[in-house]
Amino acid sequence: MNLRTPGPTPCPPEILAALGRQMIDHRGPEAAAMITRLTAALQRAFQTRNDVVIVTASGTGGLEAAVANVISPGDKVLSVSIGVFGDRFAAIARAYGAEVMSLSSEPGHAADPGAVAEALAADPSIRAVLVTHNETSTSVTNPLADIARVVRESRDRDGSPLLLVDAVSSMASIPVLVDEWGLDVVVSGSQKGWMVPPGLAFLSISARAWKANARCTSPRYYFDAARHRDAAAKGQTPWTPALSLFFALDVALEMLEREGWDNVFSRHARVAEFTRRGVQELGLELLADQRFASNTVTAVRAPEGVDVSALRKLLRDEHGVVLAGGQGPLAGKIVRIGHLGLVAESDISEALSALGSALASLGFRPPARV
């Protein structure tokens, strides 16, 4: 099966083998050495000297941990959303009692840093900004460096507003310069570019964020970042970890570092361009503003008269290719091709060939080229 969803992503054989290892004492020296090794490798991946903690949870659990540890009930929060996952980040903040102001963009478009600057200037009491770096529901990558710059320029002496970043589908595939850009809490998840099954979330936490954590009144226990930080310093986790996923992550990080992070990023950029070009050669239309097109997923507008559910079923059942559908307001209007993690041009070539055949079976004829 050619799994071309934007997560979970395929796992290399070495990682699948690691998942089958026998259990170890999660409080013993072997686990401690592994956790210490993983923490250091994640800091290199995040390009940060900040604390990085590993939480046994999905990416959404990581986002909840980000909110619960630095945002208090009643805090004003600016949600910069360009799709379903940006909206989810905002919903988590609301669940913790934050007063959320929304700054949204049309599907397929990136956030405007100028609009972020205007919103922050209009209300200096905003304590945090939430932004999704790479929105897989629309296949758009936000200009995070520019957004981070306007947030930095608006900070008061107390360090507010903090910048909380959903990098679940960008980290390990697209450059995220945590320290250079001044990002405060950055979340990623194992099932994306890391090539590991779902179940681990990673959070980097800045010194500014730790100060906010000390005064944060939101309730937390399992997701208490300070407990995770203090345990990691001893080579432990505060609660029983998903050991099999830790084994897999250990192998994945070794593979990614062996390839070299610059090579990982350039491979994703190359495969993404190959995907977009191939989609257009099929006579199909891309959803995203191509100035901000994602290097991890490509959203394709469904041709008039083509049922997306029927198309995806045909691809899966007859061609062994799995594509993702649309979410929220884009349900039934797009298909999404994931190209992150374990991916090469040959995987995409197979998927595009199947897509062309399936569309033809459903009656689609590409427009004549002028």
Side-chain angles (χ1 to χ4, degrees):
M1 190 70 72
N2 188 351
L3 180 63
R4 295 270 58 91
T5 64
T9 62
C11 298
E14 301 94 323
I15 290 174
L16 294 176
L19 289 165
R21 278 188 54 190
Q22 185 57 270
M23 291 295 98
I24 60 174
D25 175 9
H26 67 294
R27 301 301 183 210
E30 186 180 356
M34 176 178 63
I35 291 168
T36 300
R37 183 169 62 247
L38 291 176
T39 301
L42 286 169
Q43 286 176 310
R44 293 191 293 271
F46 277 67
Q47 301 187 58
T48 187
R49 294 183 178 180
N50 294 336
D51 293 304
V52 176
V53 299
I54 307 171
V55 181
T56 294
S58 68
T60 300
L63 296 177
E64 178 159 341
V67 169
N69 279 277
V70 299
I71 294 175
S72 298
D75 280 355
K76 285 190 177 180
V77 172
L78 178 64
S79 162
V80 182
S81 178
I82 61 170
V84 167
F85 292 100
D87 292 345
R88 179 181 297 182
F89 209 174
I92 294 170
R94 288 192 187 95
Y96 277 82
E99 182 182 338
V100 180
M101 304 162 54
S102 296
L103 184 63
S104 300
S105 301
E106 289 294 316
H109 293 272
D112 176 9
V116 176
E118 290 175 6
L120 293 175
D123 191 345
S125 65
I126 291 172
R127 305 287 295 178
V129 177
L130 313 179
V131 63
T132 301
H133 183 203
N134 186 74
E135 178 59 68
T136 56
S137 72
T138 61
S139 75
V140 171
T141 301
N142 267 319
L144 182 57
D146 294 331
I147 294 170
R149 175 179 49 78
V150 302
V151 173
R152 289 197 308 272
E153 291 172 351
S154 70
R155 281 187 179 134
D156 59 23
R157 286 190 228 174
D158 191 37
S160 294
L162 297 176
L163 181 54
L164 279 60
V165 179
D166 170 355
V168 171
S169 65
S170 59
M171 189 70 74
S173 304
I174 300 170
V176 184
L177 283 61
V178 171
D179 287 357
E180 183 175 326
W181 294 347
L183 313 180
D184 291 301
V185 184
V186 183
V187 180
S188 193
S190 58
Q191 76 275 19
K192 303 289 186 176
W194 307 95
M195 306 182 295
V196 173
L200 296 181
F202 321 123
L203 292 85
S204 71
I205 304 168
S206 73
R208 279 183 304 274
W210 282 122
K211 288 181 180 178
N213 173 266
R215 60 176 178 263
C216 179
T217 60
S218 289
R220 53 195 181 274
Y221 187 79
Y222 183 85
F223 287 135
D224 189 329
R227 291 175 185 262
H228 283 82
R229 176 198 59 195
D230 295 345
K234 298 180 288 186
Q236 294 190 357
T237 56
W239 325 119
T240 304
L243 276 174
S244 295
L245 296 178
F246 277 57
F247 296 154
L249 179 63
D250 202 15
V251 174
L253 286 167
E254 181 182 348
M255 293 176 66
L256 289 164
E257 292 200 321
R258 191 185 315 132
E259 182 177 358
W261 284 114
D262 287 343
N263 293 329
V264 170
F265 300 145
S266 63
R267 171 169 57 84
H268 279 83
R270 187 183 69 242
V271 173
E273 179 57 33
F274 180 86
T275 305
R276 293 189 289 266
R277 186 170 62 248
V279 165
Q280 291 172 313
E281 287 173 354
L282 289 175
L284 300 171
E285 184 181 349
L286 301 168
L287 173 69
D289 178 343
Q290 291 307 287
R291 295 173 299 170
F292 303 102
S294 170
N295 284 344
T296 67
V297 58
T298 295
V300 184
R301 293 185 186 273
E304 188 73 29
V306 171
D307 181 273
V308 169
S309 295
L311 173 62
R312 293 179 62 216
K313 185 176 188 304
L314 184 61
L315 282 166
R316 182 182 62 249
D317 293 349
E318 296 193 13
H319 298 274
V321 171
V322 180
L323 302 186
Q327 296 172 292
L330 293 173
K333 298 179 180 178
I334 62 171
V335 292
R336 295 177 296 143
I337 305 170
H339 37 80
L340 70 166
L342 181 64
V343 65
E345 285 90 343
S346 57
D347 301 304
I348 301 303
S349 182
E350 177 187 332
L352 291 174
S353 176
L355 180 59
S357 297
L359 285 168
S361 298
L362 294 173
F364 170 70
R365 298 293 179 268
R369 297 187 182 182
V370 179

